[in-house]
Amino acid sequence: PAPAAMSFFGFTPQTCMLRVYIAFQDYLFEMMLVVEGVMLKKLDGIPGCKVSPSKIRKCTEKFLLFMKEHFDKLFSKMEEVLLQLVLNIPKNVLLPEDKVQEQYPYSEEEFQALQDELQQLQQQCRAEAVLEQELRAELEEQKAVKAELEKILQCFDGLENICREHGAGNFKESFAFLTQSSKKLQDVLKEVEEKISLINI
């Protein structure tokens, strides 16, 4: 029979390999998130550590890309071996669900056209899976940025409360006053330095 008898147990070998690829890729992404979480917790416990979550995320993404490139190379070899030796249906075997081929046989060219179309669909599916992983990574990064912004807002709220407790008015007015005082002090310091330089002359 024609080599179209490529379906067994309700799926094709190519579909099986695609699902395995996506499963491995999802596991790799989740593993990277776990590693990133552990790194953030460890670094957060080190006093004086100034490594930001965004820098950790960039390193994680770089390592994930490195791992994915190597994984794709290894998976390509594994896929070739499995399709040839494990998920291969002998040419002399015709499965019950493929008996329709005996009634409606088709040429090698038609089969190749279908294979090409299937390969394009698989590539699109893989590209969409990669895009999904990137979107998930971006979402995690946005969560980290949101958490940092919430910390900054809490810090400003704390400063404003301190200003209120000491009768300094609102935080914006106090900050403006401190800025003006700092500028005046700088001017006075500059004037003193100029007078000292004149005396030394």
Side-chain angles (χ1 to χ4, degrees), residues 97-162:
E97 61 266 30
D98 295 321
K99 284 188 176 180
V100 68
Q101 295 172 54
E102 291 181 324
Q103 298 175 352
Y104 306 100
Y106 50 85
S107 64
E108 289 284 342
E109 291 78 13
E110 291 172 329
F111 174 73
Q112 188 58 47
L114 289 173
Q115 287 291 88
D116 294 341
E117 184 179 354
L118 177 63
Q119 189 174 5
Q120 289 178 358
L121 291 173
Q122 287 175 348
Q123 289 175 352
Q124 289 176 6
C125 189
R126 287 179 181 177
E128 288 178 4
V130 171
L131 180 61
E132 181 187 354
Q133 301 295 355
E134 291 174 353
L135 290 172
R136 286 168 64 182
E138 185 178 347
L139 181 61
E140 290 296 323
E141 187 174 356
Q142 287 177 359
K143 287 180 181 177
V145 171
K146 184 181 177 184
E148 288 297 314
L149 288 174
E150 286 176 354
K151 287 181 183 178
I152 293 170
L153 288 174
Q154 288 175 0
C155 180
F156 276 111
D157 288 342
L159 289 172
E160 193 165 353
N161 290 334
I162 291 170

Side-chain angles (χ1 to χ4, degrees), residues 27-179:
Y27 178 76
L28 181 63
F29 177 77
E30 290 172 5
M31 183 181 68
M32 287 295 101
L33 287 180
V34 171
V35 170
E36 183 182 87
V38 172
M39 289 175 64
L40 287 171
K41 286 182 181 177
K42 292 285 185 184
L43 292 173
D44 192 42
I46 300 174
C49 182
K50 297 182 179 179
V51 181
S52 64
S54 60
K55 191 170 184 180
I56 296 291
R57 171 50 56 89
K58 286 180 182 177
C59 293
T60 304
E61 290 175 351
K62 189 174 180 180
F63 185 64
L64 180 62
L65 182 63
F66 170 81
M67 292 288 290
K68 188 180 177 306
E69 287 175 355
H70 284 268
F71 168 71
D72 285 345
K73 290 178 183 177
L74 291 173
F75 188 85
S76 179
K77 293 177 182 178
M78 182 178 75
E79 182 179 26
E80 186 178 348
V81 171
L82 288 176
L83 289 176
Q84 287 179 359
L85 303 178
V86 180
L87 300 174
N88 185 37
I89 301 174
K91 292 183 178 181
N92 62 337
V93 174
L94 186 66
L95 300 176
E97 61 266 30
D98 295 321
K99 284 188 176 180
V100 68
Q101 295 172 54
E102 291 181 324
Q103 298 175 352
Y104 306 100
Y106 50 85
S107 64
E108 289 284 342
E109 291 78 13
E110 291 172 329
F111 174 73
Q112 188 58 47
L114 289 173
Q115 287 291 88
D116 294 341
E117 184 179 354
L118 177 63
Q119 189 174 5
Q120 289 178 358
L121 291 173
Q122 287 175 348
Q123 289 175 352
Q124 289 176 6
C125 189
R126 287 179 181 177
E128 288 178 4
V130 171
L131 180 61
E132 181 187 354
Q133 301 295 355
E134 291 174 353
L135 290 172
R136 286 168 64 182
E138 185 178 347
L139 181 61
E140 290 296 323
E141 187 174 356
Q142 287 177 359
K143 287 180 181 177
V145 171
K146 184 181 177 184
E148 288 297 314
L149 288 174
E150 286 176 354
K151 287 181 183 178
I152 293 170
L153 288 174
Q154 288 175 0
C155 180
F156 276 111
D157 288 342
L159 289 172
E160 193 165 353
N161 290 334
I162 291 170
C163 289
R164 284 199 196 111
E165 289 173 6
H166 292 82
N170 66 36
F171 177 69
K172 290 182 180 178
E173 292 175 357
S174 301
F175 189 73
F177 175 75
L178 287 172
T179 304

